[in-house]
Amino acid sequence: MRSLLKAIALLSVVFILVAGFGFFQYGDSLSRIRPLVTGSFKPSPTAAPPAATSKTPAIKGNATLSPQEPSYIQYIHAIMDPTDATFPRLECPQPNLDRYAYLGDPSTPALLPKFFFALDLHQCVHLLPRLIGSIVETMRFLGPHNCVLSIVEGRSDDGTLEVLRQLRSSMELIGVKYYFQSSDINPAAKGADRIEALAKLRNLALKNLIRHPENYAQDTTVIFSNDVALCMEDILEILHQRNFQEADQTCAMDWTYVGDIPTFYDVWIARGMTGDSFFEIPENGSWDSAWNLFWNDEKAHSRWANSKPFQVFACWNGITAFTAKLLMEKKIAFRAHKENECYQGEPKLFAKDMWFHGYGKIAVVPSVNVEYSDEAAKKIKALKGYASKHVANEGDDVKITWETSPPEKVKCMPDYQHQSFVAWDEGLHG
Ligand SMILES: *[C@@H]1O[C@H](CO)[C@@H](O)[C@H](O)[C@H]1NC(C)=O
Ligand SMILES: *[C@@H]1O[C@H](CO)[C@@H](O)[C@H](O)[C@H]1NC(C)=O
């Protein structure tokens, strides 16, 4: 259950709750699990209290305690050293670095950074060795001076805040520009507009990029990650595909184990070129059809089944890489729905605004599969295969044939009881 609870951490993209109880109602079968999305958010009595900075952290200083209570320093060591075995983490293969060498472009030392890693993190200290560790490995490979790491921590009392704060000196040592801030914005607070709060947190993580575009290369890419367990090769592959496909945005596939059943997670956000969700959810909210991905989209289904990238209308899926151009030009930012717009999550609105400005080359890279804990990520990698396995068997029709127009209509799903198709650009004119 722990992995489930993690999977639905406050800053996760999909909004799941059971009115009056918690965020998630779980059981031993998919049909009993009815994650709900709802427009009228009811605050959860089990939600973490705001601003936990004054609380005693769960792990203490740099004193070495029992294995259950490692010190911050041990976390920092594990983050900085991929071979550190203090924490049981998802094992990662050594990627085919030749494939990705061009991304770092070491021959022409960049004057300005061009990779902006952004994260909003809440209560996930146990994930940091794998998540931040893989990001640090990637930044070292891409050239630390090409990279910026920007993290917004929120309301954690498990040591997440302390570890991320202490990371600063290590980042300075390797030459990565590090922006770290803690926010008490609480998307689950009473009376809070959840999506507006999440959008604020995302924009906060992007603050320096938006405020000071002159400090960044024109072709800067944002890599925005959820609290997922993943490998360096996962990050490099979505960056590579963004380049190779000339995509404006590339996303992974994210999964959550519902009991023993791996289930595509970001179903509330993601929409295919049919405008429909990746799997069908009936009005009773059942996820029984979660196994039946792209049931009405032959093209996407075939590309997905063969681990080949395919175009979508919207995705986020745990980790995503996208052009920073529209953010730097202040044309778009993360936002909540307008009055005359379907109630929807901020990543879906972000994709919609991208399309609106002519940036509709948005793709899922199905060779990259991530999960929300180390243990479950091991299972999903065993099941779906590591990215490197798929890359080694890459066929010759990898290139996406881009469609230049979005689907006319896109599924609006403020909650499962209310589903309809609306114009893709609903509310954007006048
Ligand atoms: C939910 O609705 C679907 C489609 O109408 C139906 O097949 C399924 O049995 C229902 N599940 C539950 C748990 O009511
Ligand atoms: C923590 O580290 C500092 C500096 O290395 C040291 O002076 C201090 O005694 C350590 N504290 C504990 C509780 O181990």
Side-chain angles (χ1 to χ4, degrees), residues 299-332:
K299 197 167 153 190
H301 184 271
S302 142
R303 299 281 297 182
W304 167 71
N306 291 292
S307 298
K308 296 191 166 127
F310 53 95
Q311 190 176 10
V312 294
F313 176 74
C315 62
W316 191 267
N317 301 3
I319 179 162
T320 175
F322 52 84
T323 173
K325 196 158 184 284
L326 293 173
L327 292 162
M328 290 164 73
E329 291 172 355
K330 296 183 177 56
K331 286 186 176 148
I332 69 175

Side-chain angles (χ1 to χ4, degrees), residues 164-340:
L164 291 174
R165 188 190 277 148
Q166 290 202 14
L167 193 60
R168 176 173 301 284
S169 51
S170 304
M171 291 300 98
E172 280 167 4
L173 211 61
I174 65 169
V176 164
K177 188 124 190 137
Y178 185 51
Y179 294 104
F180 175 69
Q181 52 193 314
S182 190
S183 166
D184 57 9
I185 294 174
N186 183 356
K190 252 192 183 104
D193 179 327
R194 180 186 157 81
I195 300 303
E196 199 173 297
L198 290 172
K200 267 190 199 155
L201 286 166
R202 293 205 189 281
N203 291 330
L204 211 50
L206 300 172
K207 190 165 100 182
N208 194 267
L209 178 71
I210 295 169
R211 286 229 182 129
H212 298 289
E214 70 278 7
N215 292 348
Y216 297 88
Q218 277 187 343
D219 61 346
T220 293
T221 300
V222 174
I223 302 97
F224 216 125
S225 182
N226 286 6
D227 49 342
V228 291
L230 81 179
C231 296
M232 162 157 82
E233 62 172 18
D234 295 322
I235 303 170
L236 290 175
E237 186 60 21
I238 63 161
L239 280 172
H240 166 67
Q241 291 296 340
R242 184 169 118 65
N243 255 275
F244 175 74
Q245 308 281 358
E246 296 173 5
D248 301 312
Q249 180 176 9
T250 46
C251 307
M253 285 290 280
D254 66 338
W255 301 86
T256 183
Y257 270 88
V258 178
D260 285 333
I261 303 163
T263 306
F264 172 66
Y265 186 52
D266 214 0
V267 67
W268 193 49
I269 299 298
R271 295 291 181 275
M273 288 304 285
T274 54
D276 215 334
S277 50
F278 285 13
F279 65 85
E280 192 172 29
I281 302 178
E283 278 186 16
N284 60 19
S286 155
W287 280 31
D288 278 351
S289 297
W291 63 274
N292 198 8
L293 281 177
F294 306 109
W295 81 103
N296 59 356
D297 186 347
E298 209 178 302
K299 197 167 153 190
H301 184 271
S302 142
R303 299 281 297 182
W304 167 71
N306 291 292
S307 298
K308 296 191 166 127
F310 53 95
Q311 190 176 10
V312 294
F313 176 74
C315 62
W316 191 267
N317 301 3
I319 179 162
T320 175
F322 52 84
T323 173
K325 196 158 184 284
L326 293 173
L327 292 162
M328 290 164 73
E329 291 172 355
K330 296 183 177 56
K331 286 186 176 148
I332 69 175
F334 287 95
R335 65 179 181 89
H337 76 115
K338 302 175 192 179
E339 219 165 85
N340 50 353

